[in-house]
Amino acid sequence: MKKLLMTISLALLTGQAFANGILVKESDPVQGDTITRVADIEEIVVVATPKENTRLRQQTLSSSSFSNAEIRARGVISIKSFSAQVPNLYIPTYGSKLTTSTYIRGIGSRINTPAVGLYVDNIPYLNKNAFDFNFAEIDRVDVLRGPQGTLYGRNTMGGLIRVYTKSPFDYQGTDLQLGAASHNYFKGSVTHYHRISDKFAFSGGFYFDHQGGFFRNVAKNDENVDKGNEYGGRLRAIYLPTANTKIDFNINYEYIKQGAYPYEYMGTINKVGISVTPGLTIGKVAYNRDGDYKRHLLNMGLNVEHQASRFIFNSVTGFQFVKDDMNMDQDYTPLDIFTLNQKQNSKTISQEFVFKSKPGSHWEWTSGFSGFYQWLKTQGPVIFQKDGIQSLIEDHVNNVFIRLREQNPRMPEMVLDVTDSQINISGDFDTPTANVAIYHQSTINDLGVKGLSLTLGARMEYEKIWMDYTSAGPMTFDFNIPMLARMPQMAAVAAQLKGVQINPAFTGKLSDDNWEFLPKIAIMYAFNTRNNIYFSASKGYRSGGYNFQMFSDLIQSKMSSDMTAAINEKSGGMMSQMGGEAFAERTVDYDVKGTVAYKPERSWNFELGTHLTSANGRLLADLAVFLIDTHDQQLAQFASSGLGRITVNAGKSRSYGAEASLRWQATDVLLFTANYGYTHATFRDIGSFVDLKDKYVPFVPQHTLMLGGQYVFTLKDGYFVDNIILNADYRGAGRIYWDVQNEFSQDFYGTLNARLAFLHKGSEVAAWANNIFNKDYDAFFFESMNNLFRQRGTPVQVGVDLRLRF
């Protein structure tokens, strides 16, 4: 506790820029000196949003916004950097860029479809494997908390993150940025912004990033397991053919290759508790096979806006291509058990047409139609290696034979010997998705009383998903019966039981469709343009889908029945007589759809909040309380075979909590901020699951906290440096439960971060440090095949950044 108080005090003394506000410099007409004031970002930075008519702090929702200056000051390099910087927002950094588990108010997703949406320059990013991209030259980020289903539809039940790149009409010249840090980290970018005329402007840039890695693999010559490289570029062009029309085109490409999955073995669960398996080292990353992740990401967007006399029309067209390749030593140990190689190829075309009223009218409305089609092909072979064949197949089957002999001593001794050096359980899945929606939202202002407004909205959405699947697991084995070897007359039968081949396989087609009605009702009373109180009720949902990993379980089950049938056939029916019920012929009806499919998740969100600004504009406060009821909660867990994570529906859960964001300008040069979020998320009705009632929903922090501030030193004319800006913040999260039974958890933890920047005419040199006290915490913790693993949080890192403007 003493260390925590010291950390908070230091953060308050040194300061950090705040969400939803920026430090604006202006000239005092009397003194002639440079002073500062607090301002809502949207009063300074104007960003085109096709669906909203008013600024975020004038809407019936909780939100946070970050300017380009704040993004630099906070050391944001990706979407994961915002974790805990927004109340009740948690995005842990673990695994690889494939994994972007985003949680808001107890709603989130580890795998498959996201529960928090992402839009970049108004283009939807539908898959989580595209969320973690490079933030070079990002202009602004908005985080909207609570369901945004009425205007944005599927997979925004937890909230929405909107990212905007810089406009070449607003920025001119060339930006060069370079950075270096401990742990062999380097980055750089160069972007040119050029305004050719009042009608046309463009920008283009390139960036790269090299991560030397934080964690070493003791089983691979102490190599850094999480090192990686990424590079990419962006192009943007804006054309204004008339005074009322804007055409905005952008394209970006990014390639990454990274080592990944620095999971440390933490013990084995057994009947007496937790012990250490011989040959495994606790608290060390130790894989015998390499793990890596590679991704090609291409995004294109075309925004067309036309302002008519009474309304604004937007057409937003998007295309996204994602091709990735994940290799994982899935047992995470030096043992050679099994590996996974998952490849995905996704192409998505999206189109949206939006009509909205001009802002400031008595009746403000938005109507739209949207749709997308996604092609997704996935290959996910699971390969059993030598140790896995022995422990998961041979030992399992032979132990069954031993138990049968104990029950029936007359049964002969039987031994299974797999002769394959590897067993490849292949999986090829084609899962296209189609979605269409129509929506409308109206706000009536000054409803009988000045300042009172009512918002009503509804969305009707239809989604259909298909799956063509092919999965197989060929295997060759010897079935040995020592008794037959001693009987010459049975030599022919014994020979038939050598080199037995089976090929359990599943091939077929599935489809599901779903209609969703997503209403919203909200009421607000605005005391003036900067102070209001509101109540809202809205519905959100997350799409259902299919668990590819469950085909490994199906194949293993069919492998057992096919093995019995093949042995009976090769022995001429003898084994059905000798082995009794264990070798009896049986027909198994495999329910593929019931095994691999999971249902959509739905929630209702009730929120009471307020946006407040002091009379002198020096204090901004955003406060909210919420209650969320979730049905068919989607949970991520390991398949019963241990071969990968799956999504299951687990009845109902309830989340309630509170949020507070306070920003106070103590003096003209000193700024404080405090963000706090509390979430109490527990299961209610858990259906057919084991007793989870009143257990905490895993991976959801009960508390998030950010304290900090900013201090600006302004130097007199004649100095090479115009300003010196000192930022610091303390970010914390916890308690976080890692499993549905709440047996393992991470206590509340926090990290202290600081940045000292020297500015001169748009150029900047900065020194920074993250996790200054080198806090040790778990970013991820899980159980697989009775073994416990964790990924540690990023240790202390210090670096320097250089930014030049020409």
Side-chain angles (χ1 to χ4, degrees):
M1 176 61 90
K2 183 177 180 181
K3 185 176 181 180
L4 173 62
L5 292 175
M6 180 182 70
T7 303
I8 294 174
S9 300
L10 181 57
L12 288 172
L13 287 173
T14 52
Q16 163 67 40
F18 50 80
N20 268 357
I22 56 177
L23 202 60
V24 181
K25 298 178 63 177
E26 64 183 9
S27 178
D28 186 314
V30 178
Q31 303 296 330
D33 295 327
T34 300
I35 64 172
T36 60
R37 64 179 177 87
V38 171
D40 184 345
I41 284 181
E42 292 180 300
E43 295 177 357
I44 309 301
V45 181
V46 179
V47 175
T49 55
K51 301 179 183 181
E52 284 82 14
N53 290 285
T54 58
R55 294 186 287 119
L56 283 174
R57 296 190 77 242
Q58 294 176 339
Q59 297 180 35
T60 56
L61 54 81
S62 297
S63 63
S64 301
S65 294
F66 300 85
S67 68
N68 175 261
E70 288 179 298
I71 290 171
R72 292 200 315 273
R74 294 170 181 261
V76 172
I77 59 174
S78 73
I79 192 173
K80 293 178 179 177
S81 301
F82 288 109
S83 185
Q85 298 200 48
V86 172
N88 283 322
L89 173 65
Y90 180 62
I91 315 176
T93 299
Y94 71 89
S96 69
K97 286 181 177 288
L98 171 69
T99 307
T100 307
S101 303
T102 307
Y103 298 86
I104 295 180
R105 296 180 172 178
I107 304 295
S109 169
R110 279 181 56 205
I111 62 173
N112 294 330
T113 54
V116 176
L118 174 66
Y119 277 63
V120 180
D121 286 333
N122 301 318
I123 305 298
Y125 281 33
L126 300 179
N127 294 340
K128 291 199 297 91
N129 60 340
F131 277 24
D132 190 0
F133 63 94
N134 193 286
F135 262 44
E137 296 299 324
I138 297 300
D139 190 40
R140 170 177 163 171
V141 175
D142 300 331
V143 181
L144 285 58
R145 301 187 292 281
Q148 307 300 316
T150 302
L151 291 182
Y152 293 92
R154 70 193 296 270
N155 301 343
T156 60
M157 62 181 294
L160 178 70
I161 300 175
R162 303 188 307 202
V163 179
Y164 300 96
T165 60
K166 288 183 177 180
S167 166
F169 270 102
D170 298 332
Y171 295 86
Q172 298 297 302
T174 302
D175 277 8
L176 173 64
Q177 299 189 51
L178 299 171
S182 56
H183 298 279
N184 198 25
Y185 175 70
F186 303 97
K187 67 176 182 178
S189 69
V190 57
T191 307
H192 180 70
Y193 303 88
H194 195 77
R195 181 171 180 170
I196 294 178
S197 67
D198 291 339
K199 291 182 175 291
F200 183 75
F202 74 92
S203 63
F206 170 83
Y207 57 85
F208 74 90
D209 192 299
H210 171 75
Q211 175 69 61
F214 298 98
F215 307 105
R216 297 184 180 276
N217 185 351
V218 298
K220 297 284 288 186
N221 300 319
D222 268 349
E223 295 177 358
N224 281 12
V225 68
D226 56 332
K227 61 185 177 183
N229 293 285
E230 65 181 81
Y231 59 83
R234 292 189 178 94
L235 292 173
R236 186 174 182 183
I238 301 177
Y239 176 52
L240 309 176
T242 69
N244 297 326
T245 304
K246 179 175 74 171
I247 301 173
D248 187 348
F249 173 78
N250 63 77
I251 179 173
N252 71 276
Y253 168 79
E254 180 175 298
Y255 173 74
I256 65 166
K257 181 179 180 180
Q258 61 174 153
Y261 318 109
Y263 301 147
E264 302 176 354
Y265 171 75
M266 299 302 292
T268 301
I269 301 176
N270 51 43
K271 295 181 180 179
V272 297
I274 299 176
S275 62
V276 178
T277 298
L280 303 184
T281 303
I282 234 174
K284 297 290 185 180
V285 179
Y287 303 165
N288 65 299
R289 293 181 179 268
D290 292 327
D292 58 45
Y293 178 66
K294 299 181 284 291
R295 184 188 70 193
H296 297 269
L297 175 62
L298 174 69
N299 293 283
M300 292 189 291
L302 178 65
N303 291 261
V304 179
E305 178 183 294
H306 178 72
Q307 299 204 20
S309 58
R310 296 187 178 181
F311 66 88
I312 302 172
F313 166 75
N314 280 272
S315 170
V316 184
T317 307
F319 173 77
Q320 183 176 84
F321 169 73
V322 184
K323 182 179 180 181
D324 64 5
D325 184 349
M326 175 187 68
N327 288 283
M328 182 183 292
D329 185 341
Q330 187 108 3
D331 57 87
Y332 319 114
T333 70
L335 302 176
D336 210 12
I337 298 178
F338 59 97
T339 59
L340 172 65
N341 177 213
Q342 177 180 287
K343 297 181 180 180
Q344 295 184 104
N345 190 315
S346 170
K347 305 178 186 68
T348 306
I349 295 177
S350 61
Q351 177 63 55
E352 187 159 16
F353 300 107
V354 185
F355 296 85
K356 70 176 182 180
S357 62
K358 291 292 186 73
S361 60
H362 175 69
W363 175 33
E364 296 178 337
W365 53 268
T366 300
S367 295
F369 168 82
S370 68
F372 74 83
Y373 189 87
Q374 181 180 78
W375 297 264
L376 175 61
K377 294 182 181 295
T378 305
Q379 294 178 312
V382 176
I383 303 174
F384 285 88
Q385 308 293 345
K386 178 184 64 176
D387 294 334
I389 292 173
Q390 178 179 338
S391 62
L392 299 178
I393 299 178
E394 291 180 343
D395 290 351
H396 173 73
V397 173
N398 291 328
N399 285 334
V400 171
F401 292 156
I402 292 173
R403 288 195 297 270
L404 290 174
R405 289 194 68 206
E406 291 173 350
Q407 298 170 8
N408 183 7
R410 298 180 61 186
M411 182 178 291
E413 181 184 357
M414 297 172 287
V415 178
L416 177 76
D417 181 19
V418 177
T419 58
D420 295 310
S421 59
Q422 291 183 335
I423 295 179
N424 186 333
I425 299 181
S426 63
D428 292 281
F429 311 101
D430 188 0
T431 52
T433 303
N435 179 287
V436 292
I438 186 170
Y439 57 90
H440 176 82
Q441 180 171 296
S442 285
T443 299
I444 308 299
N445 295 311
D446 298 329
L447 187 64
V449 177
K450 183 176 176 58
L452 182 65
S453 64
L454 175 68
T455 298
L456 296 172
R459 182 188 189 98
M460 182 62 72
E461 184 161 307
Y462 173 75
E463 182 162 305
K464 186 175 181 66
I465 181 172
W466 300 263
M467 180 167 71
D468 289 358
Y469 60 87
T470 299
S471 182
M475 183 178 76
T476 304
F477 63 90
D478 293 339
F479 188 68
N480 300 304
I481 305 177
M483 181 182 70
L484 298 183
R486 298 189 294 268
M487 303 169 62
Q489 67 272 26
M490 302 299 294
V493 175
Q496 286 289 325
L497 295 175
K498 301 289 185 180
V500 181
Q501 294 182 342
I502 59 172
N503 186 23
F506 291 91
T507 300
K509 297 183 179 182
L510 299 175
S511 67
D512 282 282
D513 61 355
N514 182 59
W515 285 93
E516 290 292 338
F517 178 65
L518 303 172
K520 176 181 180 179
I521 181 171
I523 187 169
M524 171 183 282
Y525 179 72
F527 305 99
N528 50 50
T529 59
R530 305 181 74 183
N531 295 274
N532 56 65
I533 186 172
Y534 66 88
F535 173 80
S536 68
S538 56
K539 183 183 178 183
Y541 92 103
R542 179 153 59 117
S543 300
Y546 301 111
N547 290 302
F548 306 141
Q549 295 86 345
M550 286 304 295
F551 280 93
S552 297
D553 289 57
L554 288 168
I555 290 294
Q556 280 190 291
S557 177
K558 197 170 189 302
M559 187 180 289
S560 176
S561 61
D562 286 4
M563 188 184 302
T564 301
I567 291 172
N568 268 332
E569 179 185 352
K570 296 293 184 180
S571 67
M574 184 184 68
M575 289 310 303
S576 61
Q577 299 175 13
M578 297 174 59
E581 186 178 345
F583 287 90
E585 293 186 10
R586 61 176 64 90
T587 300
V588 181
D589 184 17
Y590 293 96
D591 181 9
V592 175
K593 186 172 184 178
T595 302
V596 305
Y598 58 92
K599 298 183 292 185
E601 176 182 346
R602 302 173 179 90
S603 72
W604 271 96
N605 183 90
F606 305 92
E607 180 174 334
L608 175 66
T610 182
H611 305 297
L612 302 173
T613 305
S614 65
N616 61 8
R618 288 182 174 268
L619 178 66
L620 278 69
D622 297 313
L623 309 172
V625 293
F626 61 87
L627 171 67
I628 303 174
D629 277 318
T630 304
H631 296 255
D632 292 320
Q633 174 106 30
Q634 293 179 10
L635 286 178
Q637 67 176 34
F638 271 90
S640 58
S641 64
L643 305 180
R645 300 177 182 90
I646 61 172
T647 297
V648 297
N649 296 100
K652 302 176 183 178
S653 71
R654 174 171 293 171
S655 300
Y656 62 83
E659 298 168 350
S661 296
L662 302 175
R663 298 168 300 279
W664 174 46
Q665 183 181 334
T667 70
D668 290 340
V669 295
L670 180 60
L671 207 60
F672 292 125
T673 185
N675 292 332
Y676 172 71
Y678 170 71
T679 297
H680 185 276
T682 55
F683 294 105
R684 308 298 292 173
D685 175 13
I686 46 76
S688 60
F689 269 66
V690 295
D691 187 15
L692 299 182
K693 189 174 182 181
D694 297 327
K695 298 287 187 181
Y696 288 97
V697 176
F699 305 103
V700 175
Q702 295 180 359
H703 307 272
T704 62
L705 175 69
M706 197 274 280
L707 298 172
Q710 180 186 79
Y711 192 88
V712 180
F713 302 87
T714 302
L715 280 69
K716 296 181 179 180
D717 294 340
Y719 285 88
F720 181 74
V721 175
D722 299 326
N723 296 288
I724 302 175
I725 302 179
L726 176 63
N727 295 274
D729 67 74
Y730 175 82
R731 307 170 196 171
R735 171 183 296 260
I736 304 167
Y737 289 97
W738 300 117
D739 63 314
V740 293
Q741 292 295 342
N742 296 173
E743 295 177 346
F744 305 102
S745 64
Q746 167 64 57
D747 292 336
F748 182 90
Y749 68 92
T751 62
L752 181 66
N753 315 281
R755 188 174 188 267
L756 181 65
F758 301 85
L759 285 72
H760 176 68
K761 295 182 179 180
S763 296
E764 178 180 333
V765 177
W768 54 268
N770 292 331
N771 194 5
I772 293 174
F773 292 149
N774 200 28
K775 176 64 177 179
D776 184 21
Y777 63 93
D778 290 347
F780 185 44
F781 190 97
F782 63 97
E783 175 191 344
S784 176
M785 300 173 64
N786 294 326
N787 290 327
L788 300 175
F789 299 93
R790 77 160 183 169
Q791 179 172 333
R792 288 187 291 132
T794 304
V796 59
Q797 187 176 31
V798 297
V800 293
D801 291 334
L802 171 66
R803 179 172 179 260
L804 301 176
R805 298 201 67 183
F806 304 98

